[in-house]
Amino acid sequence: MANFRFRTARLLACLLPVFMAGCQSTQSPDKTATAASDTQNTFLGANPNPYPSTYSPIEGEPTVITNVTIVDGTGQQIDKGMLFFKQGKIVAVGSTVDYPANATIIDGQGKWVTPGIIDNHSHLGVYPSPSIGSLSDGNEMTKPVTPGVWAEHSVWPQDAGFVKALAGGVTTLQILPGSANLFGGRSVVLKNVPNRTMQDMKFPDAPYGMKMACGENPKRVYGQKGGPMTRMGNVRGYRQAWSDAQDYIAKWEKYEQEISAGKTSTPPKRDLDLETMAGVLKGDILVHMHCYRADEMVTMMDMMKEFGYQISAFHHAVEAYKIADKLQENNVCSSLWADWWGFKMEAYDGIRENIPMVASAGACAIVHSDSELGIQRLNQEAAKAWSDGNRAGLNFTLAEAWTWLSANPAKSLGIYDKTGSLEAGKNADLVLWNGNPFSTYTKAERVYIDGGLAFNLNDPASWPVSDFEVGQHVEGEAQ
């Protein structure tokens, strides 16, 4: 797929500009006419990145934090340690580190440093505050299969929720479409740096995700509107759509083979829904699937094998503890709440030990929010799960539990090579807490994103304020 994409991008760069002023100025009228007549034996494909990231990091300065408790995101803790970062990257972490004389020195006595929190299930921007119909753009509830919609085209960057999440230590978040549909659309991963446009927040080179949903939601929304109205109807809908995506790939491969052989050929018509699903089958787009029941998750993993793709994570997986071994065997993460379930039948059988039980089986456990309020205190959600696990005899350390907030969600989003742990060479996305981050009394004191200071608890004048909040008495406050 990489070669396909490269070739596509390269050819688009050469061919599509035929219709643009920039390239026309370099071609004679005769050459332009020749190029147009040759398009049927020259490969034409879709631009894989039509809305590229324009993210620019906040300018930072070389900084060393000393005498601080470090939880590095890989499960290790260093007491009275040091961490040095510059030019947006972590340079060194350890008991002692070398740093230049011009570095800003922060005394971390009594404080903790962790990787920034990554929420892999958020609807900020697509269900922004205030929560009113005119701003509600998260569910394309027009038909059960809509993978061709992209959440990023609904994100409202002025949602004040981004700032509140930042004050809670969230440095990266995945914005998902809602869960009404079998296939709900593409997700987007954002850096939590409030900005003017979605593209200014877009995490560079983060893979896209695709939202799918199990069970009651598609039944409720479409049961009286042509279906599906049963779980077996849901599965039929998934399988037919995957089969259509396989046919779509075959048509494009046939076209590409004919062009490669020097034959004249007409490209298949683009289908935006099937294009996203084809991206999943080729391994370029990650599946994030709303599922509560254990039996349904097993069915979804069987379907995953039938069509040859990988589910990255089940979200809200209330019954994940029942199949933790199968999740581990199939390398599927579980995004979970600490203690929220029972609000509908398929979410009935939850337990407080769900997260630590999944982790204890060696599976990938994640603490997620799915809430504009919960995202502000995800450290406390992890603390609850850690405490419940310990009471059940699943004795995780605090450092191990922090992997549920940073490393594991980063893995589920395909960005762990860039962020999610405090290791040399990774992005300097980190939080300095004014105490133990598993205490309800602790606050995020400084939040750094790519080494730039994005939030400083002790400097209210520096707090980001959305346009919507300007002039209101709550501006910039963590709610």
Side-chain angles (χ1 to χ4, degrees), residues 34-35 76 94 140 156 204 245 269 303 324 359 375 394 408 459:
T34 301
Q76 303 302 312
E140 184 63 23
W156 185 42
K269 181 183 178 181
M303 186 172 67
I375 195 172
L394 304 171
N408 289 353
D459 183 12

Side-chain angles (χ1 to χ4, degrees), residues 70 120 174 180 326 448:
I70 298 171
N120 81 342
Q174 174 175 232
K326 295 182 181 294
Y448 294 90

Side-chain angles (χ1 to χ4, degrees), residues 215-420:
E216 294 179 15
N217 283 12
K219 286 176 51 180
R220 184 184 70 245
V221 174
Y222 295 104
Q224 304 303 317
K225 295 191 293 187
M229 67 179 300
T230 62
R231 282 183 164 82
M232 61 184 175
N234 284 352
V235 176
R236 175 196 174 277
Y238 306 130
R239 297 180 74 219
Q240 185 61 61
W242 286 125
S243 179
D244 292 345
Q246 289 177 326
D247 286 346
Y248 187 70
I249 291 173
K251 288 178 182 176
W252 277 94
E253 288 178 344
K254 179 174 182 292
Y255 164 68
E256 185 178 6
Q257 290 166 1
E258 290 173 347
I259 293 297
S260 297
K263 298 179 181 177
T264 298
S265 185
T266 301
K269 181 183 178 181
R270 287 182 64 189
D271 182 307
L272 298 183
D273 287 334
L274 295 176
E275 200 166 279
T276 292
M277 298 182 66
V280 173
L281 294 179
K282 289 175 176 290
D284 296 331
I285 297 175
L286 307 174
V287 171
H288 292 270
M289 192 153 198
H290 160 122
C291 268
Y292 294 91
R293 281 184 8 192
D295 61 314
E296 276 199 281
M297 287 187 271
V298 172
T299 299
M300 294 304 107
M301 289 190 284
D302 285 345
M303 186 172 67
M304 167 184 95
K305 296 170 186 172
E306 178 185 6
F307 290 95
Y309 63 94
Q310 178 67 41
I311 297 172
S312 185
F314 288 119
H315 292 236
H316 319 331
V318 164
E319 295 186 8
Y321 65 96
K322 297 181 180 179
I323 54 165
D325 56 336
K326 295 182 181 294
L327 293 165
Q328 190 276 335
E329 291 168 6
N330 287 284
N331 193 31
V332 178
C333 293
S334 300
S335 300
L336 307 161
W337 295 295
D339 56 1
W340 189 32
W341 69 84
F343 43 87
K344 55 181 175 178
M345 194 65 213
E346 66 183 353
Y348 178 76
D349 207 7
I351 60 172
R352 296 178 65 96
E353 297 82 7
N354 195 13
I355 293 172
M357 284 186 68
V358 169
S360 183
C364 169
I366 294 168
V367 179
H368 74 338
S369 77
D370 189 25
S371 164
E372 74 279 14
L373 299 178
I375 195 172
Q376 300 173 27
R377 297 173 180 84
L378 280 170
N379 58 314
Q380 295 180 21
E381 294 301 302
K384 288 189 284 188
W386 169 78
S387 177
D388 291 328
N390 281 359
R391 275 198 292 271
L394 304 171
N395 296 315
F396 289 96
T397 65
L398 292 176
E400 290 168 337
W402 199 268
T403 64
W404 309 337
L405 290 169
S406 61
N408 289 353
K411 291 174 183 174
S412 80
L413 299 176
I415 55 175
Y416 186 57
D417 60 327
K418 303 178 180 66
T419 189

Side-chain angles (χ1 to χ4, degrees), residues 401-461:
W402 199 268
T403 64
W404 309 337
L405 290 169
S406 61
N408 289 353
K411 291 174 183 174
S412 80
L413 299 176
I415 55 175
Y416 186 57
D417 60 327
K418 303 178 180 66
T419 189
S421 62
L422 303 179
E423 298 177 277
K426 285 198 170 182
N427 297 346
D429 299 337
L430 55 98
V431 182
L432 176 65
W433 303 88
N434 63 8
N436 184 329
F438 277 12
S439 166
T440 55
Y441 299 103
T442 294
K443 295 182 178 180
E445 184 172 298
R446 287 171 174 255
V447 182
Y448 294 90
I449 300 179
D450 288 309
L453 183 58
F455 177 79
N456 184 349
L457 179 67
N458 298 320
D459 183 12

Side-chain angles (χ1 to χ4, degrees), residues 74-114:
T74 71
Q76 303 302 312
Q77 178 173 323
I78 304 170
D79 296 323
K80 296 186 180 302
M82 299 173 68
L83 182 146
F84 172 52
F85 58 92
K86 70 173 183 179
Q87 297 179 337
K89 302 293 184 184
I90 296 167
V91 177
V93 183
S95 298
T96 59
V97 301
D98 295 328
Y99 58 91
N102 66 344
T104 296
I105 301 173
I106 297 174
D107 182 3
Q109 173 68 38
K111 303 175 184 179
W112 292 52
V113 169
T114 69

